Amino acid sequence: AYNRWYNLPTEQLVGRRVAEVMGQEAFESNRPYMLSALAGERVTFESRYTHPDGTVTPVEVDYTPVRNTHGDVQGFFSMVRDISDLKRAEQDYLTGAFNRQGFDDRLAISCATARRYSRPLSLIFLDLDHFKSINDNHGHAVGDDVLRGVAKTLQNEVRDSDIVSRWGGEEFAILTPETSLQDALALAERLRQALYEHPYAAVGRISASFGVAAFDPEEAERDFVRRVDEALYKAKVGGRNQVQQ
């Protein structure tokens, strides 16, 4: 399986450290889950694996602790499953981002993980400013092109572990595991600038309003979403084309 995933012969895999095989960045991203498994917890999470040729496969990862006869953890088994077919069912037909159902499922998993392992998690909402005028003045085909372009820009700017979703209409959501509020605010500002600096042939520059919040382990998912939505509303009534928390 490792030969297939990493496109390496056996002699280049056996005896090497995990970080050498999977890459230091991916290793650091998975480290908190590994530490939890080594502490005796069974851990399940989703990630994205980048193959040597650059293609990306969405995967579900399961770490199961291995104990000796005295009950001490000696290591863990790692099971990685390709979930490409599941992801396709959760894709928005127009933009290729997650649809609402796919996002809701990822939100539930991410909140449960953040709550259980005391990990940071943030959420970003963005709404394209005055999008209705694009459809009214240029037609829905142009509006659809803009939505596809926005989704592509967002996906290019975020990490593989971040989750981009078309929340509905011209509104998008970005779920950012392992991300503090300050880092999420910085990401939102970078996304705002990236969208504004990417003009479209038919409509020119577009802008978006952003709301950001960090997850509180004591709150329900709906309250987390509500706080982000309130921050987005603050950005819209405050003049649009800005980031609020």
Side-chain angles (χ1 to χ4, degrees):
Y2 270 75
N3 294 144
R4 293 195 305 272
W5 276 92
Y6 292 97
N7 194 29
L8 292 173
T10 301
E11 57 269 21
Q12 293 186 32
L13 291 169
V14 175
R16 292 179 62 188
R17 294 181 179 276
V18 175
E20 293 177 318
V21 176
M22 70 189 308
Q24 193 64 39
E25 183 178 352
F27 180 79
E28 292 299 332
S29 177
N30 289 358
R31 181 191 292 271
Y33 305 111
M34 294 179 179
L35 293 176
S36 294
L38 292 172
E41 296 275 356
R42 180 174 178 176
V43 182
T44 302
F45 63 98
E46 289 188 9
S47 185
R48 298 176 71 187
Y49 168 67
T50 302
H51 295 270
D53 63 2
T55 59
V56 178
T57 297
V59 294
E60 181 181 78
V61 183
D62 184 275
Y63 291 158
T64 303
V66 178
R67 299 177 183 272
N68 60 21
T69 55
H70 301 291
D72 301 321
V73 177
Q74 294 185 306
F76 60 88
F77 289 118
S78 173
M79 180 69 72
V80 182
R81 182 168 65 94
D82 185 337
I83 53 174
S84 298
D85 290 342
L86 174 62
K87 293 300 182 186
R88 279 190 283 271
E90 295 176 333
Q91 279 185 327
D92 174 58
Y93 74 97
L94 179 64
T95 64
F98 278 104
N99 57 27
R100 182 67 175 271
Q101 180 59 54
F103 176 83
D104 287 346
D105 290 344
R106 303 287 83 68
L107 178 66
I109 293 170
S110 296
C111 287
T113 300
R115 185 180 291 113
R116 184 171 185 181
Y117 301 107
S118 299
R119 305 304 305 171
L121 172 68
S122 294
L123 177 59
I124 301 169
F125 278 176
L126 71 98
D127 188 85
L128 299 183
D129 297 332
H130 310 296
F131 183 76
K132 184 177 183 299
S133 65
I134 295 177
N135 284 333
D136 291 345
N137 297 330
H138 302 279
H140 287 276
V142 171
D144 288 350
D145 285 342
V146 170
L147 291 173
R148 280 189 286 264
V150 166
K152 183 176 181 180
T153 297
L154 297 176
Q155 290 165 333
N156 287 342
E157 291 290 331
V158 303
R159 304 166 303 176
D160 286 346
S161 57
D162 296 332
I163 298 162
V164 176
S165 168
R166 186 182 176 198
W167 185 256
E170 65 272 21
E171 192 170 346
F172 290 81
I174 302 135
L175 190 61
T176 58
E178 301 296 325
T179 304
S180 67
L181 176 61
Q182 291 306 312
D183 287 342
L185 288 167
L187 171 60
E189 178 58 26
R190 190 167 75 247
L191 293 174
R192 187 194 66 79
Q193 294 178 11
L195 291 176
Y196 189 71
E197 293 170 1
H198 179 79
Y200 291 84
V203 302
R205 294 184 186 274
I206 63 170
S207 66
S209 303
F210 289 77
V212 184
F215 179 62
D216 180 348
E218 300 299 322
E219 70 183 340
E221 293 161 28
R222 63 179 180 275
D223 294 324
F224 182 29
V225 171
R226 175 185 51 76
R227 290 195 296 111
V228 184
D229 202 38
E230 290 173 351
L232 174 60
Y233 179 75
K234 187 191 302 183
K236 292 166 70 174
V237 300
R240 303 179 189 270
N241 192 24
Q242 60 183 265
V243 176
Q244 291 286 348
Q245 66 181 79

